[in-house]
């Protein structure tokens, strides 16, 4: 599942098309959010439909108000998107168990998958009938340490595979700093088993 979020319909379509061509199975798409007062429910619905119309990549809606200027898609809007055959689920990083139960009461996993967007509320999501978030949630241990730790994880686990050897490519933007040696060891230990899991997929 690749992130395809852009601040315009055209940008998101281009990202969806390029990730499909690169072999992605799904696209994870945030709503447009640069100017939240101008983003109505109708605009959000139209945005998702147009992106889903323009690409064969199955779309998973990404509900994450904390990074979207507070845009919080309600369960009615999410349910409306299930009518599109290329919109296949939602990742709820809003922590709203009411949305989980309302959606899972109406749709099976195969019709519209409902995932917890954070391991912190995996159990409430599962108890509400959601599909969970799985072992990948283990990666949150290092991601929640900040962008510098996440960048180092990318460098260590993916850099050589992607043919990127210059460590500057994985440095966080200033004023953030690269993680020190002790934190690097911890990142590798915390995420090492996930490399094995991913390699077996």
């Amino acid at each position: 599942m690749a992130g395809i979020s852009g601040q315009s319909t055209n940008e998101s379509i281009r990202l969806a098309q390029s990730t499909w061509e690169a072999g992605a199975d799904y696209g994870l798409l945030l709503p447009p959010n640069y100017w939240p007062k101008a983003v109505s429910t109708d605009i959000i619905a139209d945005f998702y439909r147009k992106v889903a119309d323009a690409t064969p990549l199955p779309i998973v809606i990404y509900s994450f108000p904390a990074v979207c200027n507070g845009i919080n898609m309600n369960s009615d809007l999410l349910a409306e998107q299930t009518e599109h055959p290329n919109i296949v689920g939602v990742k709820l990083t809003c922590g709203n168990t009411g949305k989980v139960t309302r959606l899972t009461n109406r749709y099976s996993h195969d019709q519209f998958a409902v995932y917890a967007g954070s391991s912190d509320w995996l159990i409430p999501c599962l108890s509400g009938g959601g599909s969970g978030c799985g072992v990948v949630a283990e990666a949150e241990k290092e991601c929640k340490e900040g962008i510098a730790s996440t960048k180092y994880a990318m460098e260590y686990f993916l850099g050589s595979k992607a043919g990127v050897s210059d460590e500057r490519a994985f440095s966080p933007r200033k004023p953030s700093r690269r993680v020190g040696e002790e934190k690097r060891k911890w990142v590798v230990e915390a995420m090492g088993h996930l490399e094995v899991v991913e390699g077996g997929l």
Side-chain angles (χ1 to χ4, degrees), residues 75 92 95-106 114-116 121 124-131:
S75 54
L92 294 172
N96 189 311
T97 53
K99 289 182 189 177
V100 175
T101 54
R102 286 191 292 273
L103 291 168
T104 58
N105 187 52
R106 294 176 63 178
V114 180
Y115 298 103
W121 74 289
C125 180
L126 291 174
S127 66
S131 302

Side-chain angles (χ1 to χ4, degrees), residues 77-138:
L77 172 60
L78 296 171
E80 180 185 340
Q81 302 313 301
T82 66
E83 298 172 7
H84 197 293
N86 206 34
I87 298 177
V88 298
V90 61
K91 178 181 178 184
L92 294 172
T93 311
C94 53
N96 189 311
T97 53
K99 289 182 189 177
V100 175
T101 54
R102 286 191 292 273
L103 291 168
T104 58
N105 187 52
R106 294 176 63 178
Y107 308 103
S108 69
H109 173 81
D110 291 336
Q111 291 173 310
F112 190 72
V114 180
Y115 298 103
S118 167
S119 60
D120 293 347
W121 74 289
L122 171 59
I123 299 303
C125 180
L126 291 174
S127 66
S131 302
C133 57
V135 69
V136 74
E138 286 292 311

